[in-house]
Amino acid sequence: MTLDEILKEIKNAQTIAILTHESPDGDAIGSSLALKLMIEELEKEAEVIIPEFPRTFQFLPGAEQVKIDTETKNYDLVISVDCATLKRLAKNEYFENAKKTIVIDHHGSNNMYGDLNYVNPASPACCEILVSMAEYFQIHMTKEIGTCIMTGMITDTGGFRYMGITPETFEYTADLLRIGVDIPDVYKRIMGTKTKANFELTKKVISRLEMLEDGKVAFSYINAQDEKEVNAEPGDHEGLVNIGKDIEGVLVSIFIRQKEEENAYKVSLRSEDGINVSDICLLFGGGGHSRAAGALIQGNVEEVKEKLMKEIKKWMES
Ligand code: 5GP
Ligand code: MN
């Protein structure tokens, strides 16, 4: 069983690092910090290496210990959480130089790039996989671990709203509430708080929002210049794709964000029932989940929009 092997590797390693995907969201950060604390419960140490850390998650236990880089270059064990491919893994040089690697993830598009892979696409959040791991390893669930876990579960289920939710989502949530996790506080921080920069970007996204294909597709964008104007920090673009998604009749929401140095746009797609946006993103070298996916596409706003619409139209017609 993979979980037994994972436990053995953790126990055997002298040096352990945890990595996650670039532009980390609440599930990426929550999984990284929860896993660090779980490893500590097993009386081992692990370093979390995340180059861009959104301010929203600074309240989480262990956030102050997160490293941008470390002295150790060849870890005995490197664990990747919430990340589908090696390419998307931030600081993946640590992964490539590790003696042993483990991948823990919930993306259907995961290509199993670790020595050991524990991937469950039926799980709505990577953090939810960690709860089942903690149970299996008989790790004592603390309030601190639970707070990190709850952050990932709330983020990736959109506050318990998305199709992927499972009975376990609510059972684990109830268990965490029982041990004292302040769920309303986590919920407010993740779902109910906007940074000022995010608010300013929201206004731009709304003013540029276009409805295409008889209102079935919503499209909007932000440029690097917009982010400079509002002093955007990492994570300030989170959730902007939902503005289009929440409009009545919209089946696919497209939000693109300029990556100036790469002459490209980072694409976020969200969909309602029936259109698998992960498959669309895979065509552009990206991936994700059937209803939430992303990719990096070269070109200017119009070119990227055209490339995407060509594929989306095919899906709508099929
Ligand atoms: P978001 O739109 O929030 O950035 O990403 C939505 C989902 O797609 C997330 O699960 C994210 O991990 C995944 N995703 C976003 N961009 C990429 C990408 O370039 N490659 C892959 N494989 N997955 C991506
Ligand atoms: Mn996730």
Side-chain angles (χ1 to χ4, degrees), residues 1 9 33 36 54 60 97 101 113 116-117 144-145 167 172 174-175 178-179 226 233 249 256 261 266 283 294 307-308:
M1 167 87 174
E9 293 301 338
L33 296 176
K36 176 186 164 68
L60 286 173
N97 295 333
T101 59
Y113 53 99
L116 294 172
N117 299 279
E144 288 71 28
I145 300 174
Y172 294 156
D175 291 343
R178 271 188 201 101
I179 63 164
D226 299 323
E233 290 184 21
I256 67 172
E261 62 287 1
K266 181 74 207 183
L283 296 170
K307 286 182 194 176
L308 281 165

Side-chain angles (χ1 to χ4, degrees), residues 27 82 106-107 126 156 289:
D27 194 30
D82 194 38
H106 71 127
H107 290 91
C126 187
D156 270 22
H289 310 285

Side-chain angles (χ1 to χ4, degrees), residues 3-227:
L3 282 182
D4 296 312
E5 292 175 67
I6 290 177
L7 185 59
K8 200 172 114 206
E9 293 301 338
I10 292 172
K11 291 207 162 152
N12 285 343
Q14 294 308 313
T15 52
I16 305 174
I18 299 166
L19 307 176
T20 190
H21 64 76
E22 57 193 23
S23 301
D25 57 12
D27 194 30
I29 303 270
S31 297
S32 304
L33 296 176
L35 183 60
K36 176 186 164 68
L37 295 171
M38 283 164 58
I39 289 173
E40 286 171 5
E41 289 290 318
L42 295 167
E43 296 183 348
K44 302 294 275 190
E45 293 289 324
E47 307 221 67
V48 176
I49 309 171
I50 299 178
E52 269 189 327
F53 197 94
R55 205 152 36 94
T56 309
F57 305 114
Q58 222 97 49
F59 77 102
L60 286 173
E64 68 292 345
Q65 291 165 39
V66 169
K67 305 263 164 59
I68 292 170
D69 259 314
T70 62
E71 293 293 308
T72 315
K73 297 295 169 207
N74 298 89
Y75 282 91
D76 289 341
L77 179 63
V78 172
I79 308 176
S80 152
V81 289
D82 194 38
C83 182
T85 61
L86 181 60
K87 190 175 130 216
R88 198 169 145 67
L89 190 64
K91 293 281 170 188
N92 57 13
E93 61 270 23
Y94 287 99
F95 197 89
E96 290 176 302
N97 295 333
K99 295 189 189 117
K100 204 74 187 181
T101 59
I102 295 175
V103 168
I104 301 170
D105 187 31
H106 71 127
H107 290 91
S109 59
N110 191 294
N111 63 4
M112 310 286 173
Y113 53 99
D115 296 325
L116 294 172
N117 299 279
Y118 192 66
V119 177
N120 180 7
S123 204
C126 187
C127 274
E128 203 169 301
I129 299 179
L130 292 180
V131 181
S132 56
M133 276 179 65
E135 282 178 358
Y136 190 83
F137 295 166
Q138 297 185 323
I139 289 172
H140 169 64
M141 181 56 71
T142 62
K143 191 174 155 185
E144 288 71 28
I145 300 174
T147 302
C148 299
I149 298 273
M150 213 53 246
T151 297
M153 284 174 47
I154 289 173
T155 300
D156 270 22
T157 63
F160 309 116
R161 282 184 305 154
Y162 299 157
M163 292 291 290
I165 49 166
T166 62
E168 289 78 30
T169 311
F170 293 100
E171 283 158 12
Y172 294 156
T173 302
D175 291 343
L176 296 177
L177 187 60
R178 271 188 201 101
I179 63 164
V181 175
D182 189 344
I183 294 177
D185 179 63
V186 177
Y187 203 99
K188 167 99 174 67
R189 288 173 185 274
I190 310 297
M191 304 302 298
T193 313
K194 268 184 193 297
T195 61
K196 289 196 183 70
N198 178 275
F199 180 68
E200 292 302 326
L201 293 175
T202 300
K203 291 201 280 192
K204 288 183 193 282
V205 168
I206 292 174
S207 71
R208 289 171 189 161
L209 196 111
E210 286 177 67
M211 300 296 271
L212 310 166
E213 297 298 298
D214 284 335
K216 294 194 184 75
V217 179
F219 174 89
S220 195
Y221 68 92
I222 53 171
N223 287 324
Q225 180 59 30
D226 299 323
E227 295 200 51

